[in-house]
Amino acid sequence: IDSMVLQNDGVDVDSSSFVLIENCTFRTGDDAVAIKSGRDREGRDLAKPSENIVIRNNTCLEVHNGFAIGSEMSGSVRNVFIENNTIESGRNLIFFKSNLDRGGVVENVHVRNIRVDYASHNLIRFQTDYHGFRGGNHPPVFRNFRIENVTCKEAETGIRVEGHAEAPVTEVVIRDVTIEKAMKPVALNEHDRVELINVLINGREFGNPE
């Protein structure tokens, strides 16, 4: 899928179940693949989640962002498997995004066997202050994530997690991640619950802060 116009995604999965995306090549001006389920009150009222989704054996060439969930995820997203994918370059490459207008739950997400060359922003990012916030008070919930066996040559930031204090990101395990070079290796909030196991960045092993 070749679409380098800014804000053109490759594939958007919206309020859909039993989806398989495999053996595709992406070159996009926004997300290669984005999983969504409606926006703000309309999405919460409809309450139709995206669920049971497999994204595997794909190649991303030059993309704006890589594999994303959100930011429109108000109807919730669950049971997502992202595996055996390659990304040459982009900004935020494994990207979970929302804000306080959204509400909704993202849970049971499994990411493994991802090879990345260059992330100009973040290799792995959880963002809960995504742009477009209009003053709501519906904290999104992110829980039960497993991210493992990810390699990256270079990133500005390796792992960035930005959960809200009133709705922390929880039950996240990041295991067997190697980043050869990162200007900022890890940025975690104290209230977020993220376990780092065998994470090697700039030749140094990173675990959880005391």
Side-chain angles (χ1 to χ4, degrees):
I1 297 175
D2 194 334
S3 180
M4 284 301 293
V5 178
L6 188 62
Q7 296 188 341
N8 275 17
D9 293 344
V11 175
D12 282 348
V13 178
D14 197 338
S15 297
S16 301
S17 301
F18 301 103
V19 177
L20 173 63
I21 301 170
E22 69 174 344
N23 299 325
C24 298
T25 300
F26 296 98
R27 183 174 179 267
T28 63
D30 208 331
D31 302 335
V33 178
I35 302 172
K36 306 172 182 286
S37 63
R39 179 171 179 166
D40 302 346
R41 181 176 177 180
E42 290 181 352
R44 294 192 300 272
D45 288 348
L46 182 62
K48 184 171 176 55
S50 283
E51 59 187 346
N52 306 325
I53 297 164
V54 176
I55 303 167
R56 68 187 181 201
N57 302 328
N58 300 289
T59 299
C60 299
L61 303 176
E62 181 184 357
V63 295
H64 190 66
N65 297 312
F67 301 104
I69 296 177
S71 69
E72 299 88 346
M73 39 60 69
S74 302
S76 298
V77 176
R78 57 182 176 244
N79 308 336
V80 178
F81 299 84
I82 303 172
E83 63 178 0
N84 303 329
N85 298 288
T86 299
I87 306 173
E88 289 189 1
S89 67
R91 296 177 61 168
N92 302 288
L93 299 185
I94 301 169
F95 194 14
F96 312 109
K97 49 186 173 175
S98 187
N99 66 37
L100 279 173
D101 291 328
R102 299 288 190 257
V105 178
V106 179
E107 62 185 349
N108 308 335
V109 177
H110 304 265
V111 181
R112 66 182 181 183
N113 304 335
I114 309 295
R115 183 175 62 82
V116 172
D117 285 344
Y118 177 62
S120 65
H121 286 44
N122 303 270
L123 174 63
I124 298 168
R125 185 176 190 184
F126 290 77
Q127 182 182 13
T128 55
D129 61 351
Y130 194 71
H131 65 76
F133 175 57
R134 293 179 290 180
N137 188 25
H138 302 276
V141 174
F142 289 86
R143 66 189 178 205
N144 194 20
F145 285 70
R146 299 293 181 270
I147 301 171
E148 59 186 350
N149 194 19
V150 178
T151 61
C152 176
K153 291 181 180 177
E154 185 175 355
E156 179 179 304
T157 301
I159 300 167
R160 183 184 297 275
V161 182
E162 303 164 302
H164 287 289
E166 62 269 39
V169 174
T170 63
E171 301 173 68
V172 175
V173 176
I174 300 176
R175 180 196 306 267
D176 299 331
V177 172
T178 300
I179 304 171
E180 294 179 15
K181 181 181 179 181
M183 184 173 295
K184 186 173 185 63
V186 176
L188 301 178
N189 288 328
E190 290 184 358
H191 53 260
D192 292 317
R193 297 292 176 259
V194 180
E195 185 175 6
L196 305 180
I197 303 171
N198 193 28
V199 171
L200 191 68
I201 304 175
N202 298 334
R204 172 188 168 194
E205 185 169 353
F206 284 79
N208 292 88
E210 295 297 329

